[in-house]
Amino acid sequence: WRARLLAGLLGNDVVAFHTQGFARNFLLFAQELGGLPVDLEAMTVTVGDRQVSARHYPISIDVGALRELATSPEVIAQAEALQADFRDGGRQLIVRVDRTDPSKNIVRGFAAFATLLGDHPELVGRVSFLAVLQPSRQDVPEYADYLAEIGAEVARVNATYGSEGYQPVDLRLADDLPLALGAYRVCDVLMVNALADGMNLVAKEALVVNHAGAVLALSENTGAYQELGAFAVTLHPFDIQQQADALHEALTMDPDQRRARRQAAAAVVEENDIAKWLASQLADLGLDPDQTR
């Protein structure tokens, strides 16, 4: 299977990946499995009388379209409701938006939040965690079991730290774009702690629509980390205590630093938008983007 996959990929002129690391790994794979000569500086592999290029094009979002959608009346209404429910009176809000895929590491994320509250009791009643999760592949037993684990962990956290008028974790199982965008707009921290993720567009989406100086808490194992890690609080996805400490750092960060980081990260996303993603690929094929429309 590996040999056939490699042969199929090498039938292309350009093999594209999200990150430079992924592209490099592909070349090393061709060298080790196929015994083919590679040039890691030029990022090419020689196949007979052909050269195949390995390139990285980090996929992105349509920034303008997303921002326009984020100002729709439905999204504004969701943002205002979330602001009143979770942030008025100096309270803070952590948000995550994900599919209930085991690779998204949701259970450890909630465990890290529980650890945060245990380590810093002054945050109990002052910080909430809103999770907007879309159930995924429930016909697969492992995915159905994982959704049950998520529910059990949420129940544990709420039973341990909840009180009258305070529910630490608000779990919403829904495919609800207006709710997700409303949460992006008002959150103080966006948590993305995936075990492994080719890119993760949630991180990019939240940064360009947020109005609260949100801090991105981002797993080092996401493709997005290559572009945005310098502006994020890093998460080590298997280390629950480290994630709890990183969340505390994000929540207590100086407001000016929070705003500066978000603005710098958003500028990166704006520069490397979906149009640039496509244009870069066409250019490497020797095509004019304007003539391919």
Side-chain angles (χ1 to χ4, degrees):
W1 284 17
R2 291 183 301 174
R4 291 179 180 181
L5 285 170
L6 177 62
L9 289 169
L10 291 175
N12 298 286
D13 297 304
V14 177
V15 185
F17 300 90
H18 284 315
T19 72
Q20 186 174 20
F22 297 162
R24 181 183 175 87
N25 286 344
F26 170 72
L27 292 177
L28 294 175
F29 172 59
Q31 182 181 59
E32 293 173 8
L33 180 68
L36 298 171
V38 305
D39 184 335
L40 293 178
E41 185 174 345
M43 295 296 285
T44 59
V45 53
T46 302
V47 185
D49 59 355
R50 301 170 51 243
Q51 279 204 333
V52 178
S53 298
R55 296 289 183 262
H56 66 286
Y57 311 101
I59 196 168
S60 194
I61 60 175
D62 186 333
V63 174
L66 187 71
R67 282 180 168 158
E68 182 178 357
L69 183 58
T71 59
S72 67
E74 189 174 6
V75 172
I76 295 299
Q78 292 279 11
E80 290 175 347
L82 295 173
Q83 174 74 28
D85 289 343
F86 296 108
R87 297 192 72 242
D88 284 355
R91 294 172 294 159
Q92 291 180 289
L93 177 63
I94 301 170
V95 163
R96 78 175 304 145
V97 177
D98 272 314
R99 292 177 291 106
T100 57
D101 185 315
S103 71
K104 299 298 184 180
N105 206 25
I106 297 165
V107 172
R108 284 193 186 90
F110 289 142
F113 180 59
T115 301
L116 169 72
L117 296 180
D119 290 347
H120 301 278
E122 72 277 7
L123 297 180
V124 176
R126 305 294 301 172
V127 177
S128 300
F129 195 148
L130 171 64
V132 182
L133 305 180
Q134 179 185 356
S136 176
R137 302 177 187 175
Q138 290 304 288
D139 56 328
V140 179
E142 291 81 2
Y143 281 71
D145 291 345
Y146 192 67
L147 180 57
E149 289 181 43
I150 291 170
E153 185 64 18
V154 169
R156 183 186 75 82
V157 177
N158 286 342
T160 303
Y161 295 103
S163 60
E164 185 176 354
Y166 174 60
Q167 179 177 279
V169 179
D170 185 336
L171 173 61
R172 305 194 189 185
L173 298 175
D175 182 8
D176 189 333
L177 183 57
L179 173 61
L181 289 174
Y184 292 160
R185 285 181 64 98
V186 303
C187 68
D188 294 282
V189 179
L190 180 81
M191 186 178 199
V192 178
N193 70 323
L195 297 175
D197 209 330
M199 178 52 62
N200 194 284
L201 294 180
V202 165
K204 296 187 176 186
E205 292 169 349
L207 288 170
V208 300
V209 302
N210 180 262
H211 286 253
V215 178
L216 175 61
L218 182 63
S219 168
E220 62 182 350
N221 290 350
T222 63
Y225 192 81
Q226 179 172 300
E227 292 177 90
L228 303 176
F231 315 106
V233 172
T234 300
L235 300 180
H236 304 317
F238 291 99
D239 189 335
I240 290 172
Q241 182 64 60
Q242 187 276 335
Q243 292 177 66
D245 294 341
L247 289 175
H248 184 259
E249 178 186 352
L251 290 165
T252 57
M253 188 178 293
D254 177 78
D256 289 338
Q257 186 179 5
R258 290 161 55 98
R259 285 190 290 271
R261 285 193 181 208
R262 191 210 65 80
Q263 290 169 359
V268 170
V269 179
E270 291 165 6
E271 172 67 21
N272 300 320
D273 66 358
I274 194 69
K276 182 177 179 180
W277 172 78
L278 178 58
S280 298
Q281 294 176 75
L282 294 175
D284 279 349
L285 293 172
L287 301 174
D288 184 343
D290 292 331
Q291 295 179 355
T292 58
R293 291 177 181 173

